[in-house]
């Protein structure tokens, strides 16, 4: 597991450019008793274990894209791709899942069901954490009627979907940001150092006095708004 994680950490690729990463993962499964198929733009992978076995079904997933961040350390397995780094832990997530899948394949005959899909009837709450259209739609389909689908991911490019998919299922859609205080501080540091360009996503700058009308209400009502900065320079 450590060797896999370090290999992935050394060879990071940003979203929709993970050709080498995807191939590395696919090669890992070549000698294992499972079925591997590609999804999405060709880099996503689905590994089926016991796909035709009756019973409850389980899906386990991981991201493997990296960020456009400069890795500033001297670890022996630091990024070899300049300006790209696994700073979110997706290298570790993928390594965990690859080793877990390998071990599950060893005991597949003792597993009373398939490992791929979602529990019959749908989940009470599903989480979309990949940030691509196929998994967005799959998360809705995996949620029970009147259940909730939570978007955790940050999408690298716009997606489209049929609103009737929500209407027919009665699924509630909500969003969240699943990052820790430490992650936010690391991001602030990277922005301050000029390693992340935030200008394209800043849509307005307001004073603290107008934070309700021009801030909260604007973000709620104006769909063109993305990130609104509050100017605190003139505040005592």
């Amino acid at each position: 597991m450590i060797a896999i994680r370090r290999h992935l950490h050394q060879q990071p690729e940003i979203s929709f450019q993970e050709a080498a990463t995807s191939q590395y993962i696919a090669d890992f499964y070549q000698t294992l008793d499972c079925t591997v198929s590609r999804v999405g733009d060709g880099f996503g992978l689905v590994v089926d274990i016991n796909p035709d076995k009756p019973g409850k079904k389980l899906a386990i997933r991981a991201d493997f894209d990296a960020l456009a961040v400069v890795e500033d350390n001297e670890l022996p397995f630091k990024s070899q791709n300049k300006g790209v780094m696994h700073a979110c832990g997706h290298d570790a997530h993928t390594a965990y899942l690859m080793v877990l899948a390998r071990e599950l394949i060893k005991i597949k005959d003792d597993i009373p069901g398939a490992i791929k899909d979602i529990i019959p009837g749908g989940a009470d709450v599903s989480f979309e954490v990949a940030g691509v259209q196929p998994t967005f739609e799959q998360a809705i389909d995996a949620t029970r009627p009147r259940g909730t689908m939570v978007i955790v991911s940050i999408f690298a490019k716009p997606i489209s979907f049929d609103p009737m998919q929500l209407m027919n299922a009665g699924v509630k859609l909500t969003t969240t940001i699943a990052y820790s205080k430490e992650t936010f501080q690391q991001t602030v540091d990277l922005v301050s150092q000029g390693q992340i360009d935030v200008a394209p996503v800043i849509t307005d700058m307001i004073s603290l006095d107008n934070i309700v009308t021009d801030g909260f209400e604007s973000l709620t009502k104006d769909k063109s708004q993305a990130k609104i900065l509050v100017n605190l320079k003139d505040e005592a």
Side-chain angles (χ1 to χ4, degrees):
M1 184 186 299
I2 293 174
I4 293 172
R5 185 256 168 174
R6 290 185 174 182
H7 171 86
L8 295 171
H9 193 86
Q10 284 183 301
Q11 307 295 333
E13 296 172 299
I14 61 175
S15 295
F16 305 106
Q17 297 182 21
E18 314 100 316
T21 302
S22 180
Q23 190 59 53
Y24 173 80
I25 297 169
D27 290 344
F28 173 85
Y29 291 106
Q30 283 298 312
T31 60
L32 301 180
D33 185 14
C34 61
T35 302
V36 179
S37 55
R38 294 189 177 274
V39 296
D41 293 337
F43 299 140
L45 298 167
V46 173
V47 179
D48 282 319
I49 304 173
N50 288 347
D52 300 320
K53 195 169 184 178
K56 291 186 176 182
K57 300 179 181 181
L58 173 67
I60 310 171
R61 62 168 311 283
D63 301 318
F64 51 74
D65 59 318
L67 299 175
V69 174
V70 175
E71 183 166 8
D72 185 17
N73 63 54
E74 297 303 325
L75 292 171
F77 53 90
K78 70 178 295 185
S79 172
Q80 296 180 7
N81 295 338
K82 186 176 181 180
V84 185
M85 176 187 177
H86 272 295
C88 275
H90 290 178
D91 51 342
H93 296 171
T94 302
Y96 301 157
L97 186 57
M98 291 169 67
V99 174
L100 174 61
R102 183 187 67 194
E103 297 306 306
L104 288 172
I105 290 169
K106 292 178 182 178
I107 60 170
K108 60 184 296 184
D109 292 338
D110 298 323
I111 298 174
I115 301 176
K116 174 193 173 181
D117 213 352
I118 298 294
I119 51 178
D124 292 335
V125 180
S126 66
F127 295 86
E128 202 298 307
V129 296
V132 293
Q133 184 155 344
T135 55
F136 179 88
E137 296 173 350
Q138 290 165 11
I140 296 175
D141 290 339
T143 309
R144 67 166 177 79
R146 303 302 175 187
T148 301
M149 195 267 270
V150 183
I151 300 176
V152 180
S153 55
I154 296 176
F155 288 75
K157 64 180 182 181
I159 66 168
S160 61
F161 78 100
D162 183 358
M164 290 304 297
Q165 187 181 12
L166 289 176
M167 294 290 292
N168 293 337
V171 172
K172 295 175 287 185
L173 186 64
T174 187
T175 62
T176 185
I177 296 293
Y179 295 111
S180 66
K181 179 180 178 182
E182 291 75 16
T183 303
F184 276 110
Q185 185 58 54
Q186 291 170 353
T187 304
V188 170
D189 293 342
L190 291 170
V191 171
S192 301
Q193 296 164 11
Q195 295 187 39
I196 297 179
D197 182 15
V198 297
V201 297
I202 297 175
T203 52
D204 201 0
M205 180 176 289
I206 63 175
S207 67
L208 184 60
D209 290 340
N210 299 326
I211 193 171
V212 174
T213 55
D214 296 342
F216 300 134
E217 292 182 1
S218 181
L219 284 170
T220 302
K221 299 175 181 178
D222 185 354
K223 300 306 180 183
S224 69
Q225 296 291 351
K227 299 291 183 183
I228 298 178
L229 295 186
V230 179
N231 187 355
L232 300 177
K233 290 184 178 180
D234 299 327
E235 300 299 322

